[in-house]
Amino acid sequence: LKVDLKMKEFERLCVNVVNDFEIPNEKRKALRVLLNSCFPDYFPQREYFKQIPKFRYLVWNEEKLIAQMGVEDRVINVGGDIVRIFGVIDLCVEDCYRSNNIATNLLIMLENLGQQNGIEFIIVFANDHKLYRKNGYKIVTNICRWLAIDELKSVDIFEQPLTDCFMVKSLSPKPWNDGIVDLLGYLF
Ligand SMILES: CC(C)(COP(=O)(O)OP(=O)(O)OC[C@H]1O[C@@H](n2cnc3c(N)ncnc32)[C@H](O)[C@@H]1OP(=O)(O)O)[C@@H](O)C(=O)NCCC(=O)NCCS
């Protein structure tokens, strides 16, 4: 059953922006339930996949958690250029609330936060590009280097293009360089 939100109803949703470490246990439980229903089998015992996001947007309809977006806050090396980025992690909206622009609104909120604070690019790794294309993200073809983590163990440094999923949105006039992108950490 779909929930069709009118603009007024959307404004009544409560959006918290919280450091991950500050999320209390009962809300953490709700987060795990939401992540499990949106990404089946990815979050068996925890609310993160490879590592803990720095902060999260949590969207509540009264007591019910209906959407979340984790955010990575990092510098990366783009062809020798050190740039400050936000990374979008595990953005999801509960099934029956989808297609009400909730994800789009979260992306816009993150973009505004980034712009106010000198963040130069927002990055996402997404197999399905539709939502992000609609919001101005573009595929980039750079070769990427990152720390491979498997089952909570560092296993290797990988280096390969991620042309099927690596998307970038620019928040400043700075151009996106060619050359190797060193993520200076794990692939979120
Ligand atoms: C992707 C997702 C967060 C979109 O949330 P939403 O609030 O419905 O998004 P919006 O209303 O702002 O935009 C909807 C558009 O997103 C696009 N979209 C749908 N599913 C998508 C997906 N899995 N990935 C990317 N884009 C998607 C479609 O173009 C859709 O347009 P439509 O409503 O005309 O079909 C939601 O579908 C979801 O939670 N999917 C499961 C988890 C997931 O795949 N997350 C993406 C991780 S990168």
Side-chain angles (χ1 to χ4, degrees):
L1 204 67
K2 280 270 166 221
V3 177
D4 191 11
L5 293 179
K6 312 276 176 301
M7 197 56 200
K8 275 265 167 327
E9 291 171 275
F10 183 79
E11 285 166 7
R12 271 209 299 272
L13 297 176
C14 172
V15 183
N16 298 151
V17 188
V18 281
N19 288 315
D20 183 276
F21 71 84
E22 289 177 318
I23 300 172
N25 275 342
E26 70 277 8
K27 292 192 173 174
R28 208 167 271 290
K29 217 183 266 173
L31 181 56
R32 198 179 297 179
V33 169
L34 175 70
L35 286 166
N36 263 312
S37 81
C38 293
F39 303 98
D41 305 327
Y42 271 69
F43 299 90
Q45 307 295 336
R46 52 183 199 262
E47 312 81 54
Y48 58 92
F49 185 44
K50 302 276 183 188
Q51 252 301 354
I52 296 169
K54 184 90 162 229
F55 60 100
R56 294 184 192 262
Y57 288 75
L58 301 178
V59 183
W60 302 86
N61 186 8
E62 295 178 347
E63 298 300 298
K64 190 161 176 44
L65 182 66
I66 60 165
Q68 91 92 41
M69 178 173 65
V71 183
E72 180 74 11
D73 174 10
R74 201 188 270 200
V75 288
I76 62 171
N77 185 326
V78 184
D81 208 9
I82 304 303
V83 300
R84 181 99 192 228
I85 62 116
F86 276 158
V88 174
I89 305 183
D90 302 331
L91 171 56
C92 63
V93 175
E94 192 185 305
D95 198 10
C96 61
Y97 286 90
R98 288 179 192 165
S99 299
N100 283 302
N101 280 323
I102 294 176
T104 294
N105 276 289
L106 291 177
L107 291 172
I108 292 170
M109 288 173 82
L110 184 64
E111 203 174 307
N112 291 338
L113 185 72
Q115 243 151 11
Q116 286 155 18
N117 292 286
I119 304 298
E120 295 163 297
F121 297 94
I122 304 185
I123 283 178
V124 65
F125 298 95
N127 297 323
D128 184 326
H129 305 162
K130 288 194 297 286
L131 171 70
Y132 303 101
R133 269 196 206 292
K134 185 174 96 166
N135 283 287
Y137 288 71
K138 294 200 166 68
I139 282 281
V140 292
T141 55
N142 309 62
I143 290 172
C144 281
R145 183 186 298 145
W146 71 93
L147 170 68
I149 295 179
D150 189 37
E151 303 285 347
L152 297 177
K153 289 193 187 89
S154 303
V155 292
D156 208 343
I157 304 292
F158 284 175
E159 198 171 291
Q160 61 187 68
L162 295 167
T163 319
D164 55 342
C165 65
F166 188 4
M167 303 189 81
V168 171
K169 179 159 185 178
S170 203
L171 299 187
S172 77
K174 190 174 203 166
W176 181 264
N177 266 359
D178 293 333
I180 291 182
V181 171
D182 190 334
L183 290 174
L184 302 178
Y186 83 109
L187 178 67
F188 43 83

